[in-house]
Amino acid sequence: MTDLQRVAVIGGGVMGNGIAQLSAMKGHDVRLVDVSQERLDSALASIGTSLDRFVKSGKLDAGDRADVLDRLRTTTSVADAVSDVDLVVEAVLERLDVKQAVLAEVVAHAPVAAVLGTNTSQLSITAIASALGDEAHRVVGMHFFNPAVLMRLVELVVGLETSPETLARAEAYAASLGKETVVCRKDSPGFLTSRFSAILRMEALHMLEEGLATPEDIDKAVKLAFNHPMGPLELGDFNGLDTYLDALTGLHAAHGERFRPPVELKNMVAAGRLGRKSGRGFYDHSGS
Ligand SMILES: CC(=O)CC(=O)SCCNC(=O)CCNC(=O)[C@H](O)C(C)(C)COP(=O)(O)OP(=O)(O)OC[C@H]1O[C@@H](n2cnc3c(N)ncnc32)[C@H](O)[C@@H]1OP(=O)(O)O
Ligand SMILES: NC(=O)C1=CN([C@@H]2O[C@H](COP(=O)(O)OP(=O)(O)OC[C@H]3O[C@@H](n4cnc5c(N)ncnc54)[C@H](O)[C@@H]3O)[C@@H](O)[C@H]2O)C=CC1
């Protein structure tokens, strides 16, 4: 059982819209916040498409679709969104200073009992929480996976100040979404999962730079040899190459040379080839 009924998700991008949708599908009252109304409009469009897929495959009653949308409202005001919530899930871009500023604004307007989850891919939970002084015990890493509506895991990450009560409430919320959890009990950048995925994608990029094979064959090798649903380059396009570069930059700073971002990736991000969200990455997505 979770007492976290009212949820605010901050950031309506790839992850935020999925976390908001899933929460509303599981009966939570959800407020989705973004600085950009345009991003909120496209988040609602993505959520509508995803709900249609669930209806089409028989996993959601057509009659329940409208109820899910009724439980979800969007706003550009953090103060308005968090005033009565039990939980905030921060899913803005992967920058420490931005996450700290967003959570500081949340703390100024949210009830004192609200749990503060961050969906960071790899940043230190302790560093994010350090901006909140005595409220740091309320912060916990809640790392979802893309697409959040389908992936089975939420990785929970305990910062130095995270209280046992905060962790227990985060676990109950993840269970209410039907997710399995793993707990990374020591706050270390990249936790468990992002260190694994970064290494695989780094190797794929190095193979590409070395001219060993086409992107298609590098992905095919991983998919068919190891039964992964997507290859590492395909997954990079799916998640967003800018987000991936931000994550590698953080892992490089924390763990050293083995995570140095490849030049190929930096060039692609500089050129605006961000993957699916910009229409082009390792692959052409202009038609999808
Ligand atoms: C960066 C980080 O910090 C952390 C991360 O997120 S790392 C990335 C983690 N994510 C992954 O590794 C994803 C790997 N890929 C996959 O698991 C799968 O490719 C996938 C689940 C995304 C899609 O599955 P697929 O079999 O390849 O494609 P597809 O046939 O389109 O979809 C399968 C089913 O899911 C449904 N589906 C797919 N995406 C959906 C969505 N967003 N909403 C609703 N339904 C969806 C489809 O409608 C389809 O349903 P039916 O079987 O009933 O027809
Ligand atoms: N893309 C992925 O596969 C995954 C990403 N993550 C993490 O989730 C977080 C979000 O990533 P994505 O959704 O991919 O990014 P994204 O770039 O798709 O979305 C980020 C959103 O945050 C909004 N935003 C920026 N500053 C804001 C602010 N101050 N207040 C409110 N909204 C603000 C932006 O307008 C944008 O819509 C990052 O920390 C990322 O590392 C975690 C798991 C998987």
Side-chain angles (χ1 to χ4, degrees):
M1 266 298 276
T2 175
D3 61 331
L4 305 179
Q5 174 58 24
R6 288 174 300 249
V7 178
V9 179
I10 321 274
V14 173
M15 293 309 292
N17 77 57
I19 297 166
Q21 177 189 340
L22 179 66
S23 300
M25 287 176 75
K26 297 296 180 181
H28 294 274
D29 293 320
V30 182
R31 299 91 167 111
L32 178 61
V33 188
D34 205 290
V35 280
S36 147
Q37 183 58 46
E38 201 183 331
R39 295 302 293 259
L40 288 173
D41 293 342
S42 74
L44 281 178
S46 299
I47 289 169
T49 305
S50 174
L51 289 174
D52 288 342
R53 291 176 84 168
F54 281 119
V55 170
K56 195 171 169 208
S57 60
K59 291 174 194 139
L60 178 73
D61 277 353
D64 291 340
R65 187 185 185 283
D67 295 341
V68 172
L69 291 171
D70 278 351
R71 284 194 287 271
L72 201 162
R73 70 176 170 86
T74 60
T75 171
T76 53
S77 162
V78 169
D80 173 39
V82 305
S83 63
D84 65 348
V85 292
D86 308 305
L87 167 70
V88 173
V89 182
E90 170 280 306
V92 303
L93 65 171
E94 188 72 350
R95 300 282 163 81
L96 180 62
D97 56 340
V98 179
K99 288 183 184 295
Q100 287 178 329
V102 166
L103 286 180
E105 189 181 357
V106 165
V107 162
H109 298 283
V112 289
V115 169
L116 310 174
T118 168
N119 185 50
T120 176
S121 294
Q122 49 82 36
L123 292 170
S124 158
I125 306 306
T126 309
I128 293 172
S130 68
L132 305 183
D134 290 347
E135 303 305 315
H137 66 97
R138 294 159 60 190
V139 181
V140 59
M142 275 187 201
H143 186 202
F144 288 78
F145 299 87
N146 184 25
V149 288
L150 297 183
M151 301 299 285
R152 294 168 58 200
L153 188 69
V154 177
E155 180 176 41
L156 298 172
V157 187
V158 178
L160 194 63
E161 307 291 353
T162 307
S163 71
E165 186 198 347
T166 297
L167 176 63
R169 294 174 80 201
E171 283 176 317
Y173 166 67
S176 79
L177 302 181
K179 300 297 189 195
E180 297 281 341
T181 51
V182 289
V183 180
C184 187
R185 297 195 174 273
K186 191 167 173 184
D187 186 14
S188 171
F191 329 128
L192 310 177
T193 60
S194 292
R195 281 169 65 174
F196 285 132
S197 65
I199 289 294
L200 193 62
R201 258 179 273 176
M202 291 279 286
E203 279 309 313
L205 276 157
H206 289 318
M207 288 173 194
L208 203 58
E209 282 178 342
E210 290 163 26
L212 294 194
T214 60
E216 287 82 358
D217 273 1
I218 292 170
D219 279 340
K220 189 173 176 182
V222 172
K223 282 191 281 194
L224 300 193
F226 310 118
N227 231 359
H228 288 206
M230 285 181 175
L233 302 173
E234 200 182 352
L235 194 54
D237 273 10
F238 184 58
N239 287 342
L241 297 181
D242 51 343
T243 303
Y244 177 42
L245 178 59
D246 285 343
L248 271 186
T249 304
L251 289 173
H252 180 225
H255 299 295
E257 280 309 296
R258 70 189 198 269
F259 290 108
R260 176 183 288 282
V263 172
E264 177 93 7
L265 179 65
K266 287 184 176 173
N267 285 343
M268 289 183 69
V269 172
R273 294 191 198 174
L274 308 182
R276 282 197 196 187
K277 62 183 165 187
S278 74
R280 191 171 176 201
F282 295 109
Y283 298 94
D284 181 4
H285 305 279
S286 51
S288 55

